[in-house]
Structure formats: structure tokens, C-alpha cells
Amino acid sequence: MDKKPIRRIGVLTSGGDAPGMNAAIRAIVRSATAQDVAVLGIRRGYSGLINGDIIELAARSVDGIITKGGTMLYTARCLEMLTPEGLEKAANTCKYMGIDGLIAIGGDGTFRGAQALSRLGVPAIGIPGTIDNDIVCSDYTIGFDTACNTAVDAIDKLRDTMQSHERCSVVEVMGRRAGHLALHVGVAVGATAILLPEREVDFESTVIEKMRMGRIKGRNHHIIIVAEGYGSAQDVADRIHEQTGIDTRVTILGHIQRGGSPSTQDRVMGTRMGYHAVKILIEGKTNRVVVFDDNMITDYDIEEGLARKKDINQALFEAAQMVAT
Ligand code: F6P
């Protein structure tokens, strides 16, 4: 039996927002409408799908959004989508609104929703959008580069004052359970130590000894990066102060890392992934996640994609250890 042609697609953003989501929405709207496929914007993630919070999007509705952080569609984490009732309501909205295919931008929770809808007969595609870069099947997630740049910019400023006061700055970086953001940021700011959930390190030799040696060699201040998934930045700071006597301050960068105008990379990635999602939806694919793999934009079955494993970049981790003295 021939698959139903795609005449109208829905797009939503779900989970934590990420700079570059707007670029993806723009690419979806422009790629679809250029092929006479209508686009509906579903607001507030899956809650909007359950509650029918939906707007029409034309090519001109997305003018100018490529430069904007956040998501023009708003976002939410929707627990109701995890229930059979919520899922059924979401599938029914698709039916009533004539949504022939759905593109959901977000993290793995978002893809689980897309997968569940696919099983109920709604063709659905996921696009990885999260500053954490923690989607196991993709080397890149939209928002990661901008978040790195934002964190680096803030920590460079912290370094100025740490240097003047000869202090140690312990900075907590987002990433949920993953250390990708912390590792990249730590390398870029020249951190003395980077503490990640993925690597157990000996605190004494990795942090304290390096700081003591640094002092002897004339380094008068330190930046220590703590991934939020590693543990409490305050505990790390207390331990450093106790063991070295160095005046130490804690900064939790928090949600500032999720904001700001997207970098070139996030605008380009958002555009490439949005375009690809529309292409495969129109080709008749469903239950796929768009990924950046082996330097290419491609797509995987959601189940297979999420079953993969992803580690932090070991070569970068080793380089970071070697250059931090
Ligand atoms: O997944 C993105 C992220 O910013 C994580 O790095 C962080 O742990 C979490 O979301 C914070 O979530 P919320 O915005 O709900 O506080």
C-alpha cells in the first residue's frame, strides 16, 4: 500500500531550549513551503500537541529568527506525553489537524515522544537540539557551540578578576549527566583541572597537586571547571580551600549558557538538520532521528540511534590533562 503523501507537517521544540532551534524551525518552514507542504507550529512542545496550541507558519513567519536565541515556538517538558492517555490525545490532534508528519526538535525525551507517535501511525522525525551534546547517535547537537562560546566568554571575564586577586575560581558548567560542554569549555579557557562525570580522577593529583605546583612555578590564579553531573562545585571549592589555603570562589553559570544569538555553527547546523528532516519526511521515512555523523548529516532509526553509546572525546581529555600545568 502506498504511503499517504505529506501535505502538512507539524514542528515543535521540546525539553531545554538551545540556540539554533530557531534556525532549524526556519529551515523546516522554508523547505516545506517551497515544496507546497504546509507547516503548523506546535507551541510549548508536546503539551501544545496534546492541547491543540497550534499556529500556522508561512515562509514569512520565520523572517529574522535565524539570529535569535531561544525558540519562537516556546518549549516545555511534558510529563503527560509519557502516559497512554496523553499520547493518544497527541495522536488525535495530529489526526484532527491533518498533520501528516511531525518534526520534534529536542533531546532524547523528545525523540521518545516522536517514536511513540510513529508507532501510532504519525510519521515523526527527531532533530537533536540541546546544549549538552549528549545525544548518543549524533556527534553534534544544535546549541552546543553557542553554549561553549557563552561559557568561555563568561569565564574569560572571571579570569581577569581571579588574576587580580590571586584566587581560584571553581565554575560549574551545565550538561546534565554529560561532560561534553565542561570538557570543551575547560580546554578553551585553559583550566587547571576539569572534573567530569565520565572520568573518575584522583582529586589530590589532578587538582591539588597541580595547583601547588602551579603556585611554585608562578601561577597566581586558577580556573577549575566542574561539570554539573560531577557533583557540587561548592564541595570542590571547600576542599581546595581546606587543602591549599587559596582564596576560592564558586560561580554557577546556569541558564545563561542556554541563551544568546546562535553562533554560525548552530545556524548552519540548524539549517542543515531542518532541511534534512523535511526531505526524509517527504520521502516517506518515519521514526528517524537526524544526526551529524562522520562529518555528514544523515538519519537513523530512533531506537537504534538511542541504543548507541557515546563517550566524551578521549583524545581531547588527554590533551586537556597534558596541557594543564
Ligand atoms: O538539557 C539542557 C539543560 O540546560 C541541562 O544542561 C541542565 O541540566 C538542564 O537543562 C536544566 O534544566 P531546566 O531548564 O529545567 O532547569
Side-chain angles (χ1 to χ4, degrees):
M1 202 178 75
D2 280 347
K3 285 195 173 147
K4 197 175 163 222
I6 304 285
R7 298 202 195 289
R8 182 181 281 173
I9 64 179
V11 54
L12 61 81
T13 47
S14 155
D17 63 348
M21 282 182 161
N22 278 328
I25 296 168
R26 174 179 176 274
I28 290 164
V29 172
R30 296 275 173 86
S31 309
T33 53
Q35 299 174 77
D36 291 325
V37 173
V39 183
L40 296 179
I42 298 146
R43 304 200 303 174
R44 304 182 175 86
Y46 287 111
S47 326
L49 196 56
I50 289 171
N51 302 316
D53 186 358
I54 291 172
I55 53 172
E56 271 186 50
L57 293 175
R60 295 277 73 80
S61 325
V62 292
D63 280 355
I65 66 167
I66 197 164
T67 66
K68 303 267 192 301
T71 159
M72 70 166 284
L73 291 175
Y74 307 101
T75 185
R77 295 193 166 96
C78 175
L79 295 177
E80 208 184 338
M81 192 63 183
L82 300 173
T83 66
E85 298 75 29
L87 191 56
E88 199 186 321
K89 280 190 205 163
N92 282 340
T93 307
C94 291
K95 205 163 121 196
Y96 296 139
M97 297 298 295
I99 296 173
D100 306 313
L102 180 77
I103 300 175
I105 309 167
D108 44 11
T110 307
F111 305 153
R112 291 287 176 210
Q115 184 180 38
L117 284 170
S118 293
R119 287 187 181 134
L120 292 180
V122 180
I125 309 288
I127 292 181
T130 161
I131 64 161
D132 302 337
N133 203 18
D134 62 346
I135 300 302
V136 287
C137 51
S138 186
D139 290 343
Y140 193 77
T141 62
I142 297 167
F144 179 67
D145 183 59
T146 309
C148 284
N149 293 338
T150 303
V152 167
D153 185 53
I155 297 165
D156 284 350
K157 292 186 171 92
L158 278 175
R159 184 182 282 284
D160 292 343
T161 170
M162 291 302 135
Q163 191 268 336
S164 309
H165 288 263
E166 302 183 80
R167 284 173 171 160
C168 170
S169 188
V170 176
V171 186
E172 186 185 297
V173 171
M174 271 189 172
R176 202 180 291 274
R177 283 178 295 275
H180 308 284
L181 193 57
L183 176 58
H184 280 72
V185 167
V187 169
V189 299
T192 302
I194 307 168
L195 300 171
L196 308 172
E198 293 88 346
R199 295 288 182 278
E200 216 172 294
V201 289
D202 174 51
F203 198 82
E204 183 61 31
S205 58
T206 313
V207 183
I208 304 297
E209 204 45 40
K210 270 196 177 146
M211 290 180 69
R212 286 199 188 114
M213 289 309 291
R215 275 258 145 131
I216 292 166
K217 290 179 189 161
R219 182 182 273 267
N220 79 340
H221 69 283
H222 296 274
I223 305 281
I224 309 293
I225 301 294
V226 181
E228 69 166 324
Y230 172 84
S232 155
Q234 188 61 56
D235 289 351
V236 169
D238 290 346
R239 208 164 156 188
I240 288 172
H241 181 65
E242 250 167 52
Q243 290 180 245
T244 65
I246 296 174
D247 197 11
T248 301
R249 293 289 185 275
V250 175
T251 303
I252 297 174
L253 288 181
H255 289 82
I256 194 170
Q257 295 160 101
R258 290 234 299 261
S261 178
S263 66
T264 303
Q265 176 157 347
D266 284 321
R267 295 179 196 195
V268 171
M269 277 295 182
T271 301
R272 292 177 73 185
M273 288 185 173
Y275 163 76
H276 188 87
V278 171
K279 182 168 165 279
I280 60 176
L281 203 49
I282 291 176
E283 281 169 6
K285 286 191 180 178
T286 182
N287 195 32
R288 309 291 291 179
V289 53
V290 176
V291 299
F292 185 63
D293 187 25
D294 211 8
N295 236 4
M296 269 180 346
I297 301 288
T298 181
D299 52 277
Y300 294 133
D301 173 85
I302 293 180
E303 190 63 45
E304 278 171 30
L306 294 186
R308 292 183 170 216
K309 294 264 175 292
K310 177 172 175 174
D311 191 14
I312 54 155
N313 185 327
Q314 175 61 20
L316 185 61
F317 180 72
E318 283 169 20
Q321 307 282 100
M322 194 59 80
V323 299
T325 53

